[in-house]
Structures are given as C-alpha cells and as structure tokens.
Amino acid sequence: MSKTLHFGVFEVMGPQVGGTYSWAHPRSEGLSYLDPAYWIRMARILEESGFDFLFFAGGYGYPLIDGDLPRVAVEKGINFPGADPDYLIPILAQHTDRLGFVVTQSTGVDHPVQLARRFATLDHLTRGRIGWNIVTGASQNAVADVFGHESMVPHDTRYEMAAEYVELASRFWETAWDDDAFVGDAASGVFARRDGVHRVSFEGEHYRSRGYFGAPPSPQRTPVLFQAGTSPAGRAFAAGNAECVFVQATTPARTAAAVADIRRLAGEAGRDPQGVKLMAGLTVFVGESEADARRYEAEFDAMQTDEIVASLYAGNTGIDLLALDPDRTLQQIMDASGPVGQMGTSNIERFLGEDAPTVREILDQLRGRGTRGFRIVGDPVQIADQIEALIATTDLDGFLIEPVFEPNDLEDFGRLVMPLLRERGRLRDGAPGNSLRARLTETPGNDRLGAAHPVLAPAVAAR
C-alpha cells in the first residue's frame, strides 16, 4: 500500500514567504495580507483541496547587516514586516471544518504558562485543530536587540531552555486538571471539582512555577508538537519531543540522511520511528502545461537579486555574504566572533566540509531559494511524479508547500495536483470533527498526546 502523504502550506502574516521577492508579481495577492478575506479564501482553498494544515511562521526577528536593517529588506519585504497570525486562527476556524492550523511560538520570549493558556484557548476555539511549532528563535541578534537583551543566548543553551519550557507547558496541559474535573452542573451550582484541579510545581534551571492553570482541558490538551531544527541539538530535541518535524531540504541525499538520523534518534528515545511525521518545504511551479510552469518559474527567478539573497542569509545566520571574498568558502569567517555559529547553524554547516562552495556559488544556489526547500516544475502529472520520486528517495511523509504567487498558485496546486495524488492513493482526507492529531496520525479519535510520549514522562511522574 502506498504511503499516505500529508500536506501543509508554509505562510507568514506578511507580503510573501521564503525570504524571496514575489509580492509585486501580477499573479500574487500578497499585499492583501492584512485583510481577513485574503486568509479566509486561502483557508477554504486548502480545506476543499485536501491539505492537512495551514502553517504560520512567525517571530520578532528580521535581517540585520552590520547591525542595521538593510534597505533591500524594507523595499522588497524580505522577512520584514510581519504581523501576528495568532489572531487570525479563530477567524479561519469559523470558515473551515477540517483544516488544521499550526502557529510558531518561540520558547524564549515569554513564560510557559502564557504560551500554555494561549494554545489551550486556540485548541478550544478550533475544536482541536491547533498545533505548536516549537522554535528556539530566529534572527536571534535582532530579537536580542528589540527585547533589550545584552547578548544572544548560546545555541545549545536555547535547546536546554526549550526542553524545560516544553516540559512545564505539558504539565499545565496534562496534569493541572483531571479528565472529569469539569462538572458544569447548574442545578448544584458546581463548575468544577476542587479535588480535580491540581497545583503545578516546577523548579528548573531556567523556568519555575508554583500555581494553578486556569484554562480547562481542550480537545487535544497538548497541541500537536511541531519542530523545525535540523542542527545536531535540534535533531535530538525533535526526536524526543516533536510529533511532526520539518527537515531542511537541500539535496535529496542529504535530506534522506537527516530523515534517517531523526528516525534513529526517535527510536533511541523509545518512540516509534515511523510514528514521527517528517516533512520538508516544497516550492511548486505548476501550470496546465509544462510551458506555463516554466514561464512562471522564469518570471519569479528574474525578480531575485544578490542583495535579496544576502539580506535573507544574514537574517538567518548573521553572515553578510556580500562582505566576503566571493572566491573563497565560508571557512574564511568561521573563526570570527559575534553571531556566527549561534544562528542558523544548519544553514551554515551545509556549506562547509569537502567540496564546499565558494561564496559566489552560495549566492547563486540561494538565488530564488531563500529559506525554501525543494523546487519542482512541470505540468500536473510531472509534478505528481516528482513528488512521489522525492518521497521514495527521502522517506519523507509529506511537504509544506511554500507558495510563490499566493493564493493563486495554491489554488492551482489544489485543483491540478491534489486530485492526481488522491487517485494514486496518496491522500486520506480528514473528516469534520477530527482533531489535527487524529488527522496526522490517520487514527480517528486519537486526540491526545498519550502518556507514553517522552515529553510527558516527567509530568506523569510528578502526579
């Protein structure tokens, strides 16, 4: 039997995604990103065509070059500006019945109890269709500045903090209320059983709490846990925590190696390696004919410049490629101080080692790619074939489509490609009333994280 594939859409509440320039193209409607109607239309397109979820990246960072916001980032909208997508989710949930919603929240911005209440509320309002993309930060140098911190938290320390953060949040979700604590009996005037509501006590190195959680348990209790780090620390964290992992798509061979490593680490953590859903980004240029698709690709590529590439890469890694010797590799700055090695480590390491490309070659590789994953181009049959070939090569479970001319190219993909994948037995559509977790695990009624999940072991032991 063919593996069931899962599809999400990678978005930001901004004019475009992927660290590339596309909002000014006639096919794009990205300038409408502050209009709820724009997102309602997109959500309906995704639900009707069979996508599993709409994913929102987010954060407070932006590109910095020499400590300042570069002109090209402002003029072309490269990872700047950005609004808060959290407030969109209840609106979109009212216009959909099956589509899930995944929201990025950093573990280093607020206290776990604040995040836990936010996601419990969203899970209630979406009737169990919410997921949390766990990140330890992005553009950390800019975030440190805007929050008034004197320096960035070191990379591996951020993951140590994240482990505590997720553990404490899980205690709020899973142990603060018994399943039968809510009564809601008007005749007796009892809202909840006092002995069913418990104090959460946690003393960690980075976070502490000694109190009660005011949000009643939601349909999933714990949101579906997503994670996107593919550095060594990120992979280890994902293997022990995430239910769905976004793997950086570089080459099929490298991606396959990352997938195999995460599955291995998940097994070592006592989890079913195949139970962790592994996905990668995918940019799709599809048209009624291959010629149409190639034209869309060429028009997009013509909009990109070295300055756009350098702005995005600096925001992710702290490295200004245009300030380096174009004929040498990144090794030329690996002994430098500052943010190098503490930001975007996977996006640095991919360009090191044997056969490392020169800076000029990196700029050429990233032109039109930005933070995007794989790119495929063709007519509907060619696209479906390429998707299946990538799955066979990498052992991925699905893709996040990274739109270029949204929402029109998403509509094209849903209309032209999803029916072919459904005919080939690759899609299993969700049903109204199913939680996001039930949909991703393909198990109706599987709403809860489950006591066997490693993140809950300390919480269960604390009961």
Side-chain angles (χ1 to χ4, degrees):
M1 181 178 176
S2 298
K3 176 190 286 191
T4 298
L5 302 184
H6 295 278
F7 287 89
V9 168
F10 184 95
E11 268 293 353
V12 296
M13 198 173 178
Q16 60 203 352
V17 302
T20 50
Y21 173 45
S22 61
W23 61 262
H25 191 279
R27 292 201 79 209
S28 174
E29 297 177 27
L31 284 182
S32 299
Y33 75 94
L34 292 174
D35 183 351
Y38 168 84
W39 296 106
I40 291 169
R41 178 189 168 199
M42 183 184 296
R44 285 174 168 166
I45 288 170
L46 302 187
E47 175 154 285
E48 290 167 6
S49 55
F51 281 85
D52 293 285
F53 57 86
L54 173 58
F55 171 99
F56 284 103
Y60 293 92
Y62 39 79
L64 288 178
I65 293 180
D66 293 330
D68 205 357
L69 180 65
R71 178 184 296 272
V72 69
V74 179
E75 291 185 349
K76 302 301 184 185
I78 307 302
N79 282 13
F80 185 88
D84 193 333
D86 298 19
Y87 302 98
L88 274 176
I89 305 303
I91 298 173
L92 302 183
Q94 293 298 307
H95 292 271
T96 54
D97 296 312
R98 301 179 300 278
L99 186 69
F101 303 97
V102 183
V103 183
T104 299
Q105 292 287 341
S106 173
T107 55
V109 173
D110 51 16
H111 190 277
V113 71
Q114 295 169 278
L115 177 137
R117 187 171 73 168
R118 186 179 309 130
F119 274 96
T121 303
L122 287 171
D123 201 48
H124 278 295
L125 296 179
T126 61
R127 298 181 178 87
R129 290 185 280 147
I130 200 71
W132 171 26
N133 180 43
I134 307 164
V135 298
T136 63
S139 297
Q140 289 89 353
N141 52 352
V143 172
D145 284 350
V146 80
F147 278 90
H149 301 158
E150 292 186 1
S151 62
M152 293 188 301
V153 177
H155 177 270
D156 287 359
T157 301
R158 292 199 301 271
Y159 277 103
E160 294 171 8
M161 294 174 65
E164 279 191 15
Y165 196 105
V166 175
E167 180 185 340
L168 178 50
S170 74
R171 293 197 188 192
F172 289 126
W173 289 319
E174 298 288 341
T175 72
W177 289 64
D178 290 347
D179 286 342
D180 60 353
F182 173 73
V183 178
D185 181 16
S188 66
V190 176
F191 179 81
R193 291 189 302 103
R194 175 60 186 85
D195 60 356
V197 179
H198 309 286
R199 184 192 300 272
V200 172
S201 296
F202 184 89
E203 289 288 337
E205 183 177 347
H206 303 284
Y207 298 101
R208 289 170 293 281
S209 184
R210 298 174 300 279
Y212 296 91
F213 187 51
S218 65
Q220 297 183 122
R221 280 197 180 239
T222 298
V224 180
L225 302 177
F226 289 69
Q227 203 265 339
T230 50
S231 66
R235 291 185 193 183
F237 181 85
N241 292 273
E243 300 171 84
C244 185
V245 183
F246 300 149
V247 181
Q248 186 177 45
T250 51
T251 65
R254 285 192 177 204
T255 302
V259 167
D261 188 51
I262 292 171
R263 293 203 195 280
R264 176 186 63 80
L265 291 169
E268 292 176 359
R271 306 178 66 191
D272 175 6
Q274 297 302 318
V276 180
K277 300 299 181 184
L278 293 156
M279 306 176 74
L282 185 67
T283 297
V284 180
F285 292 93
V286 63
E288 299 282 357
S289 67
E290 181 181 358
D292 289 337
R294 296 289 177 189
R295 185 176 74 254
Y296 296 150
E297 179 188 37
E299 291 172 355
F300 170 76
D301 285 341
M303 300 176 74
Q304 315 308 315
T305 67
D306 281 353
E307 289 73 23
I308 290 171
V309 174
S311 173
L312 186 281
Y313 194 76
N316 181 250
T317 65
I319 298 172
D320 179 7
L321 293 174
L322 296 183
L324 304 180
D325 182 341
D327 298 320
R328 297 174 60 196
T329 71
L330 283 185
Q331 198 61 48
Q332 64 187 284
I333 49 108
M334 288 315 296
D335 296 328
S337 60
V340 176
Q342 299 302 324
M343 296 170 52
T345 57
S346 58
N347 213 14
I348 296 173
E349 291 167 356
R350 64 186 282 201
F351 295 124
L352 298 174
E354 284 188 42
D355 301 319
T358 65
V359 169
R360 177 66 262 166
E361 290 169 335
I362 293 172
L363 286 165
D364 291 341
Q365 284 184 38
L366 296 180
R367 182 189 292 264
R369 180 162 183 171
T371 57
R372 296 174 178 273
F374 295 117
R375 177 190 288 201
I376 55 177
V377 187
D379 64 31
V381 172
Q382 291 171 323
I383 293 298
D385 290 345
Q386 290 175 76
I387 286 173
E388 292 195 306
L390 281 171
I391 293 295
T393 302
T394 62
D395 192 33
L396 287 165
D397 297 297
F399 297 98
L400 268 79
I401 304 299
E402 298 162 320
V404 174
F405 306 130
E406 63 261 62
N408 294 301
D409 55 352
L410 293 173
E411 188 170 33
D412 288 346
F413 186 87
R415 176 175 58 87
L416 299 172
V417 180
M418 294 292 267
L420 290 178
L421 295 173
R422 188 172 288 105
E423 289 173 9
R424 298 180 185 189
R426 291 294 197 171
L427 297 183
R428 182 179 298 179
D429 291 329
N434 275 354
S435 67
L436 177 58
R437 182 171 284 111
R439 180 164 184 160
L440 290 176
T441 60
E442 301 155 27
T443 309
N446 182 30
D447 303 331
R448 300 282 295 275
L449 186 61
H453 192 285
V455 76
L456 295 185
V460 171
R463 290 294 295 267

